[in-house]
Amino acid sequence: MWHSKLARWILGRRETLLWGAGGTVALAVILLSCSTTNRTILAPPSIPGAEFVGSEECGTCHEAIVRDFRTATHARLKAQGENAKNVGCESCHGPGSLHVKAGGGAGTIINPRKSPDTCFQCHLDVRAQFQLPHHHPVLEGKVSCADCHNPHKGIAIKGADTNIQQTLKGGGIAFLDQQETCFQCHTAQAGPFVFPHEAVRQGCTTCHSPHGSVNQRLLKERNATLCLKCHFQQQRVPGIILIGDTDHTTFLPQGACWSAGCHEAIHGSQVHPLLRY
């Protein structure tokens, strides 16, 4: 008899615990929902004393920018109708009433080119990349997001709106002009070269992470691992690593392909097809 009473007590206790746990989860969901749905997650920049006036008002002076904005990648984020009043130009530049009243002026509006914080409101992953040990000096104020991106017109990545696809020998595809953005600063890597590296033709981001990386020179992979993404290891003979027709077994442990005295001219060479100086 006492066994059956004990079993009923345990069963009842288990149901109580389960209902309690379920009630706690449900309460947590309700509280979380209330705390997230009644607040602005990504608030536009604020300007003390200024109010929103709408993008149409911006167009009275910045006619070309407002006209072309419909072609911009960022235009997809713009709401329609009355909801768009606060989600247009002012979502990045802040409320514009004081700017309009003053007839313009740098001190009455926010210029995201001066600080990346406005961009980071939405691009949280990019903010994290700029915290990595090696990054373009955007946080230091030496480079602006707008140096590489078009916020107002066309595809956000400069050069991408004029890309020309070109089929390469072997079936690969090269995207021309997009790397021209990088070549604005990195002129030495632009060439032209007698023996160009095919990876450069495919785009700088084939090897580099443009915002930040844990590796030096913003490389996506460390040492020879980067090169081996394209130049696959071929195990034709046990214990021997062949890349092409050359035994690299003793070369790879000596360092990166470009630092071990083999392929120093990694972007292209004027004198040797194996990318040497």
Side-chain angles (χ1 to χ4, degrees), residues 224-247:
T225 305
L226 177 67
C227 304
L228 293 175
K229 293 174 65 177
C230 295
H231 304 280
F232 300 103
Q233 300 182 44
Q234 301 175 15
Q235 294 283 358
R236 298 179 185 174
V237 180
I240 296 179
I241 300 176
L242 292 177
I243 300 177
D245 294 322
T246 304
D247 181 1

Side-chain angles (χ1 to χ4, degrees), residues 3 5 14 20 30 38 47 71 85 89 124 131 160 196 205 207-208 219 231 258 265 267 270 273 275:
H3 290 287
K5 290 183 178 180
R14 186 184 67 176
I30 293 173
N38 293 328
I47 298 176
T71 69
K85 185 174 183 179
C89 304
L124 301 178
Q131 302 296 328
T205 54
C207 298
H208 300 279
L219 294 176
H231 304 280
W258 59 89
H267 297 98
Q270 307 292 10
L275 304 181

Side-chain angles (χ1 to χ4, degrees), residues 9-218:
W9 181 86
I10 293 175
L11 179 61
R13 185 63 176 170
R14 186 184 67 176
E15 291 177 349
T16 300
L17 291 173
L18 289 175
W19 277 107
T24 302
V25 172
L27 179 61
V29 170
I30 293 173
L31 293 176
L32 182 61
S33 299
C34 292
S35 66
T36 57
T37 56
N38 293 328
R39 65 182 178 87
T40 302
I41 298 177
L42 296 173
S46 62
I47 298 176
E51 298 178 353
F52 291 98
V53 295
S55 297
E56 291 185 3
E57 187 67 32
C58 303
T60 58
C61 293
H62 307 284
E63 180 180 0
I65 293 177
V66 174
R67 180 196 64 217
D68 294 337
F69 185 69
R70 69 188 67 182
T71 69
T73 300
H74 287 92
R76 300 176 186 176
L77 305 175
K78 189 173 182 295
Q80 299 299 319
E82 184 63 23
N83 292 329
K85 185 174 183 179
N86 297 348
V87 194
C89 304
E90 293 162 300
S91 62
C92 294
H93 294 283
S97 62
L98 296 180
H99 189 66
V100 173
K101 184 178 180 180
T108 57
I109 203 72
I110 292 175
N111 183 2
R113 181 180 284 275
K114 301 296 184 181
S115 171
D117 290 337
T118 299
C119 305
F120 290 160
Q121 287 185 112
C122 295
H123 301 283
L124 301 178
D125 59 327
V126 176
R127 177 198 289 268
Q129 292 173 36
F130 279 117
Q131 302 296 328
L132 294 175
H134 306 280
H135 57 266
H136 271 109
V138 170
L139 301 181
E140 293 77 8
K142 297 180 180 179
V143 179
S144 166
C145 298
D147 290 332
C148 300
H149 297 283
N150 284 319
H152 297 129
K153 180 181 179 181
I155 300 176
I157 301 175
K158 283 187 177 180
D161 50 349
T162 58
N163 274 353
I164 302 174
Q165 286 194 13
Q166 174 178 309
T167 303
L168 301 175
K169 185 183 298 184
I173 295 178
F175 294 91
L176 306 181
D177 291 339
Q178 187 168 338
Q179 59 264 42
E180 293 298 327
T181 300
C182 306
F183 293 158
Q184 292 180 124
C185 298
H186 304 282
T187 55
Q189 287 73 25
F193 300 107
V194 177
F195 302 101
H197 191 178
E198 292 291 340
V200 177
R201 295 180 179 179
Q202 295 178 8
C204 302
T205 54
T206 302
C207 298
H208 300 279
S209 297
H211 298 121
S213 173
V214 296
N215 303 311
Q216 292 182 344
R217 298 181 179 86
L218 303 181

